[in-house]
DNA sequence: CCGGATCCGTTTTGATACTG
DNA sequence: CAGTATCAAAACGGATCCGG
């Protein structure tokens, strides 16, 4: 997401949309909320996401200080993703979204 | 959003993403949370959104039973959008997102 | 084999003009 | 006023390639 919503906006919801607005970002944060994960592990846990877009959304979340990327200099490569404290403070909201979904969404 | 995430997924967060995943949907719900609005009024309250995409996202939210579209048969035309009770039950989550943004997002 | 980067096609969103 | 139509741009998806 290179394009961002207007900056001159008062409402925090607009700024938040710039952070979690990507198609998979809430899901990525949700998956990382229980445990640190490696790249391929994370991809397998999110059915339907492609490598390319996973990389991109992870980089954007990192730029927004929501995740931490830890690179281990090994062969084969090992990269672990985890939530920052900022993102951890957002997890309760994702949990309430999850609960709302359980309660109100059937299909 | 014609393309939807995999249906075979357990997690409600995935299904929720299909509903609120559009770029402007959370913002639309936020704007409608305080009052019923007409189309142009709604567009003016959301800087940066175009008519075309506003129409589309409103139609998708309507299909997901999140908003109600009331057409008055007048000249000039008058259409009012409001939240359904389903969407109203989701508003507390958007409010906590708003609070989170106020607390943690500076820029 | 792991974690990407790159290229390219499809989907979603944006901007503007036009209509009943 | 509340859209629709059209075309352009941006985001996303799939496949392949690559260094370590």
């Amino acid at each position: 997401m290179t394009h961002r919503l207007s900056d001159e906006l008062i409402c925090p919801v607009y700024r938040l949309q710039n952070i979690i607005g990507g198609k998979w970002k809430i899901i990525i944060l949700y998956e990382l909320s229980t445990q640190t994960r490696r790249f391929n592990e994370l991809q397998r846990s999110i059915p339907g996401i492609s490598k390319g877009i996973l990389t991109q959304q992870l980089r954007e979340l990192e730029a927004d200080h929501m995740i931490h990327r830890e690179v281990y200099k090994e062969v084969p490569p090992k990269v672990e993703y985890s939530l920052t404290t900022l993102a951890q403070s957002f997890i309760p909201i994702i949990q309430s979204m999850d609960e709302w979904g359980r309660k109100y969404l059937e299909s």
Side-chain angles (χ1 to χ4, degrees), chain A residues 58-73:
Chain A
L58 284 169
R59 291 287 148 78
E60 289 177 3
L61 284 169
E62 190 187 6
D64 287 326
H65 311 101
M66 295 293 276
I67 61 175
H68 174 69
R69 178 168 176 267
E70 183 78 31
V71 182
Y72 297 85
K73 293 179 181 171

Side-chain angles (χ1 to χ4, degrees), chain A residues 35-90:
Chain A
Q35 56 188 303
T36 294
R37 287 188 194 269
R38 298 179 61 177
F39 184 87
N40 279 348
E41 194 182 357
L42 192 51
Q43 193 192 0
R44 280 192 299 272
S45 74
I46 305 177
I49 198 171
S50 69
K51 283 165 168 278
I53 214 64
L54 176 56
T55 300
Q56 181 200 305
Q57 308 240 324
L58 284 169
R59 291 287 148 78
E60 289 177 3
L61 284 169
E62 190 187 6
D64 287 326
H65 311 101
M66 295 293 276
I67 61 175
H68 174 69
R69 178 168 176 267
E70 183 78 31
V71 182
Y72 297 85
K73 293 179 181 171
E74 304 173 0
V75 175
K78 175 179 173 184
V79 180
E80 283 189 342
Y81 292 92
S82 58
L83 298 184
T84 61
T85 52
L86 175 63
Q88 284 169 21
S89 72
F90 189 72

Side-chain angles (χ1 to χ4, degrees), chain A residues 28-37 45 83 91 95:
Chain A
I28 291 169
L29 295 175
Y30 180 84
E31 290 298 333
L32 290 179
S33 68
T34 52
Q35 56 188 303
T36 294
R37 287 188 194 269
S45 74
L83 298 184
I91 292 302
Q95 283 171 347

Side-chain angles (χ1 to χ4, degrees), chain A residues 13-28:
Chain A
V13 170
Y14 286 73
R15 296 202 296 272
L16 186 51
Q17 180 66 13
N18 285 330
I19 296 179
I20 57 151
K23 183 164 178 178
W24 300 95
K25 288 182 181 175
I26 290 177
I27 293 171
I28 291 169

Side-chain angles (χ1 to χ4, degrees), chain A residues 92-104:
Chain A
I93 295 177
I94 297 184
Q95 283 171 347
S96 56
M97 290 169 63
D98 185 63
E99 285 164 26
W100 185 89
R102 283 177 207 282
K103 195 168 174 183
Y104 296 106

